[in-house]
């Protein structure tokens, strides 16, 4: 009878150990899954942040180029305007000289 009782106690202890091992295995599996999920989420956030940063830099480059083009256009139109004013001034001088010649 004592042998059977010891055997039963041993079986109960082994069952309890197996349950604990199983619980621990499930816990570790869930822990690993949670860590993977956290890492995936972080990777997604990092990728999104990288894309946003790239988009921001691209927008800055475009804005800078647009500003440079605008500045070039302003300089060119200013130069054309100055050139046109100079031509008009020279024509006016030429007309004055021609008028002076006609008077003489």
């Amino acid at each position: 009878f004592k042998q059977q009782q010891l055997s039963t106690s041993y079986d109960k202890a082994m069952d309890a150990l197996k349950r604990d091992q199983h619980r621990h295995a499930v816990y570790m599996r869930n822990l690993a899954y949670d860590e993977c999920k956290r890492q995936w989420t972080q990777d997604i956030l990092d990728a999104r942040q990288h894309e946003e940063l790239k988009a921001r830099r691209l927008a800055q480059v475009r804005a800078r180029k647009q500003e440079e083009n605008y500045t070039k256009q302003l300089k060119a139109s200013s130069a054309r305007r100055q050139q046109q004013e100079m031509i008009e001034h020279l024509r006016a001088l030429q007309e004055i000289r021609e008028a002076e010649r006609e008077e003489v």
Side-chain angles (χ1 to χ4, degrees), residues 4-20 23:
Q4 189 179 7
Q5 210 174 17
L6 280 175
S7 178
T8 306
S9 294
Y10 176 79
D11 289 344
K12 284 182 181 177
M14 286 306 290
D15 287 345
L17 182 62
K18 286 179 184 175
R19 277 195 308 275
D20 283 350
R23 264 191 237 126

Side-chain angles (χ1 to χ4, degrees), residues 13 17 30 37 40 52 67-68 80 82 86 90 99-101:
L17 182 62
N30 289 342
K37 200 163 109 178
W40 295 334
E52 289 171 359
E67 188 177 327
E68 288 171 0
R80 281 194 301 270
Q82 286 177 347
M86 184 63 78
L90 289 174
E100 285 177 352
R101 282 188 199 145

Side-chain angles (χ1 to χ4, degrees), residues 7-103:
S7 178
T8 306
S9 294
Y10 176 79
D11 289 344
K12 284 182 181 177
M14 286 306 290
D15 287 345
L17 182 62
K18 286 179 184 175
R19 277 195 308 275
D20 283 350
Q21 286 175 338
H22 178 70
R23 264 191 237 126
H24 182 70
V26 168
Y27 171 77
M28 292 304 288
R29 185 191 67 211
N30 289 342
L31 197 63
Y33 175 76
D34 289 346
E35 177 59 25
C36 285
K37 200 163 109 178
R38 188 197 64 74
Q39 189 60 48
W40 295 334
T41 304
Q42 189 61 47
D43 290 347
I44 290 169
L45 290 175
D46 290 348
R48 199 174 289 158
Q49 198 174 31
H50 178 71
E51 289 301 316
E52 289 171 359
L53 182 62
K54 243 172 50 175
R56 220 176 302 129
R57 285 183 181 158
L58 184 60
Q60 288 173 344
V61 167
R62 285 182 180 155
R64 195 176 321 114
K65 283 186 178 182
Q66 199 172 21
E67 188 177 327
E68 288 171 0
N69 285 341
Y70 180 71
T71 304
K72 284 179 188 175
Q73 288 174 351
L74 275 180
K75 286 180 181 177
S77 71
S78 175
R80 281 194 301 270
R81 188 169 48 256
Q82 286 177 347
Q83 190 178 22
Q84 191 63 37
E85 288 173 0
M86 184 63 78
I87 290 172
E88 289 173 8
H89 182 70
L90 289 174
R91 282 186 185 150
L93 281 176
Q94 192 175 8
E95 288 175 6
I96 291 172
R97 284 187 184 152
E98 285 178 8
E100 285 177 352
R101 282 188 199 145
E102 287 176 6
E103 285 180 12

